[in-house]
Amino acid sequence: MKLSTKNLLGIKDLTPEDIQLILSTASQFKDVLQRPVKKVPSLRDVTIVNLFYENSTRTRISFELAEKRLSADTVNFTVSGSSAAKGETLLDTVNNILSMKVDMVVMRHSASGAPHFLAKHIPAAIVNAGDGINEHPTQALLDAFSMTEKFGSLKGLKVAIIGDIMHSRVALSNIYLLTKMGADITVAGPPTLIPKYIAEALNVKVEYNVKKALQWCDVANVLRIQLERQNQPLFSSLREYNQAYGISRQLLESLGKDIVIMHPGPINRGVELDSDVADGPFSIILNQVENGVAVRMAVLYLLANREN
Ligand code: CP
């Protein structure tokens, strides 16, 4: 089977069959990653550039590891130390890199739509590693993989996405993916951080009381407060946010049921998640990070395979 798309720009463009194919391929790569020799020759003749115009720890390392495990040749570009800092345009930068015979581009950019713009202008396959407040498709795929590992299926799973929905590309990609795969979604948080028409536009429930959302769900995907994307204050203080919307151990214990806690990282400890929850028995946050490598191997492998 092959993906229906040449690039991975967003979950919005994928079919449920594409998502299923990526998740089942990731499962095979996860088996490979448990072996003493974690490397396969699948992308031996493929050259990939990781083009990161915005900071990243997990996604960048995860893509780099995935590429190395697949035996691809990789080049890393970060904006600081490059000629982008001298004013070179995105398209000029990429065309110069492509002239050195690069097959795929993994790209993170603070501007929503940057990878879509590139896809219109260059022949190489593009993987969106997060664009502004638009999408973060491989994060949603690794979240889905982690939920499937835990629950067996996404169909009918009750997922609460909690926190700064307004500025979160992780929220949007998760909503697209979980809706396509038949999960039930509630978004929860302060009214100022939840887009006004999200219920109608994206077919999700909205809950402003986090405790009620937690009582309803099987799994809570808790999001970072993205202060760097907020031009004006949208809540009174981080301390008050934590009191009203943060997830504490006491709050979890008051539910009378077990739920799984997820977070894409980086965590603002003591704001959206208390440390004893982030590091506690219900958290699968580091499993998410581990699964990211297998999921990104699957995405790169399937996109490269599609081109052949
Ligand atoms: N989850 C995520 O995208 O983390 P990084 O910003 O560290 O890549």
Side-chain angles (χ1 to χ4, degrees):
M1 277 181 71
K2 294 198 177 211
L3 291 177
S4 67
T5 169
K6 169 183 174 279
N7 306 300
L8 178 59
L9 298 178
I11 301 293
K12 193 177 185 182
D13 309 323
L14 297 184
T15 63
E17 292 73 28
D18 288 329
I19 295 167
Q20 197 49 57
L21 177 60
I22 294 168
L23 297 183
S24 58
T25 308
S27 183
Q28 292 169 30
F29 282 126
K30 183 151 184 189
D31 290 343
V32 169
L33 293 174
Q34 311 307 314
R35 296 180 197 156
V37 178
K38 298 173 177 58
K39 208 161 173 159
V40 288
S42 314
L43 298 194
R44 198 155 46 195
D45 298 323
V46 176
T47 303
I48 304 174
V49 61
N50 300 308
L51 202 61
F52 277 70
Y53 278 82
E54 195 192 70
N55 294 345
S56 168
T57 297
R58 279 146 292 270
T59 311
R60 195 173 63 190
I61 292 175
S62 183
F63 268 112
E64 282 181 40
L65 271 177
E67 291 153 7
K68 287 184 196 321
R69 304 290 191 227
L70 290 166
S71 306
D73 292 323
T74 65
V75 186
N76 297 315
F77 169 98
T78 47
V79 72
S80 66
S82 78
S83 288
K86 300 177 199 162
E88 188 166 39
T89 66
L90 173 61
L91 196 53
D92 277 344
T93 300
V94 173
N95 275 329
N96 276 273
I97 292 170
L98 289 182
S99 70
M100 297 181 233
K101 309 285 179 247
V102 167
D103 303 298
M104 297 175 84
V105 176
V106 174
M107 184 192 192
R108 169 168 289 194
H109 204 287
S110 58
S112 300
H116 306 69
F117 166 78
L118 264 199
K120 288 198 180 106
H121 292 91
I122 65 167
I126 297 173
V127 182
N128 181 0
D131 65 318
I133 58 167
N134 180 40
E135 281 222 46
H136 192 348
T138 57
Q139 180 69 45
L141 286 160
L142 75 87
D143 289 346
F145 186 91
S146 306
M147 286 185 243
T148 308
E149 255 188 349
K150 194 80 192 167
F151 294 98
S153 167
L154 297 174
K155 197 162 177 56
L157 192 68
K158 292 179 181 161
V159 183
I161 304 174
I162 299 174
D164 185 355
I165 310 296
M166 178 91 78
H167 303 97
S168 175
R169 55 196 176 206
V170 175
L172 191 56
S173 286
N174 261 272
I175 291 169
Y176 285 140
L177 189 151
L178 292 166
T179 305
K180 285 174 198 262
M181 302 310 278
D184 279 346
I185 307 159
T186 292
V187 294
T192 49
L193 292 180
I194 297 182
K196 235 180 200 159
Y197 302 108
I198 193 168
E200 300 81 358
L202 295 176
N203 194 25
V204 296
K205 294 184 263 303
V206 175
E207 176 59 69
Y208 299 122
N209 181 321
V210 165
K211 183 168 182 181
K212 283 190 184 164
L214 294 174
Q215 280 167 331
W216 168 83
C217 71
D218 302 308
V219 49
N221 199 351
V222 186
L223 304 178
R224 182 170 71 88
I225 294 297
Q226 305 202 29
L227 291 172
E228 76 276 20
R229 298 194 199 281
Q230 297 178 18
N231 299 325
Q232 57 194 28
L234 293 169
F235 51 88
S236 45
S237 70
L238 292 176
R239 198 171 67 84
E240 286 183 32
Y241 181 90
N242 177 252
Q243 283 168 357
Y245 302 102
I247 316 283
S248 64
R249 193 159 122 190
Q250 192 188 17
L251 177 57
L252 286 187
E253 284 172 356
S254 75
L255 301 177
K257 63 178 236 185
D258 294 350
I259 62 167
V260 167
I261 298 290
M262 300 174 65
H263 192 299
I267 302 168
N268 291 313
R269 287 174 181 263
V271 181
E272 69 266 4
L273 264 190
D274 286 359
S275 277
D276 50 6
V277 176
D279 307 327
F282 302 122
S283 165
I284 60 164
I285 293 170
L286 291 180
N287 302 74
Q288 291 172 257
V289 178
E290 180 188 349
N291 290 334
V293 179
V295 165
R296 290 174 175 123
M297 285 172 81
V299 167
L300 296 168
Y301 170 79
L302 289 167
L303 288 177
N305 188 255
R306 194 185 176 278
E307 284 195 323
N308 292 336

